[in-house]
């Protein structure tokens, strides 16, 4: 769950975009749009949901390991740097999987 005001705002903005996409998809289906157009809208929605999921998961990882607000200076600590790098690597893997 996003905790900072900036993260909450970003998540809500994404959700509103997804809601708009869902409403457009509903209209397209009701109007009998071509399958290709419907599939394209579905893919866009899936990408938006996956992006939101990746953001929330990354925030969760950073919060769970106590590094959500870490300062760049603290990367001088080898243990902190390793944890930060591991979270970055996991986040990158998840984002690539969700594409």
């Amino acid at each position: 769950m996003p905790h900072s005001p900036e993260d909450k705002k970003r998540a809500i903005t994404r959700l509103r975009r997804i809601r708009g996409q869902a409403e457009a998809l509903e209209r397209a289906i009701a109007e009998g749009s071509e399958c290709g157009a419907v599939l394209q809208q579905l893919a866009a929605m899936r990408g938006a949901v996956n992006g939101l999921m990746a953001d929330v998961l990354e925030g969760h990882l950073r919060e769970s390991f106590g590094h959500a607000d870490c300062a760049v200076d603290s990367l001088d600590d080898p243990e902190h740097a390793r944890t930060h790098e591991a979270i970055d690597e996991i986040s990158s893997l998840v984002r690539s999987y969700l594409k």
Side-chain angles (χ1 to χ4, degrees), residues 7-19:
D7 289 343
K8 284 181 184 180
K9 183 178 179 181
R10 186 173 34 249
I12 290 169
T13 299
R14 280 180 177 259
L15 286 168
R16 288 180 179 155
R17 191 175 309 129
I18 293 165
R19 179 178 33 196

Side-chain angles (χ1 to χ4, degrees), residues 10-98:
R10 186 173 34 249
I12 290 169
T13 299
R14 280 180 177 259
L15 286 168
R16 288 180 179 155
R17 191 175 309 129
I18 293 165
R19 179 178 33 196
Q21 290 172 322
E23 290 169 354
L25 179 61
E26 181 181 355
R27 284 190 303 274
I29 291 173
E31 295 168 1
S33 295
E34 295 292 323
C35 290
V38 169
L39 289 168
Q40 186 174 11
Q41 285 181 304
L42 283 167
M45 283 182 61
R46 181 182 58 193
V49 169
N50 286 347
L52 176 60
M53 187 175 0
D55 283 351
V56 171
L57 180 58
E58 182 175 350
H60 176 69
L61 288 170
R62 293 193 187 287
E63 184 175 310
S64 294
F65 292 102
H67 300 290
D69 302 323
C70 67
V72 174
D73 295 342
S74 63
L75 294 178
D76 292 337
D77 173 23
E79 183 65 27
H80 180 88
R82 279 192 297 277
T83 301
H84 188 78
E85 289 171 5
I87 292 171
D88 287 345
E89 183 178 338
I90 292 167
S91 295
S92 178
L93 285 169
V94 168
R95 285 183 187 277
S96 68
Y97 176 75
L98 292 174

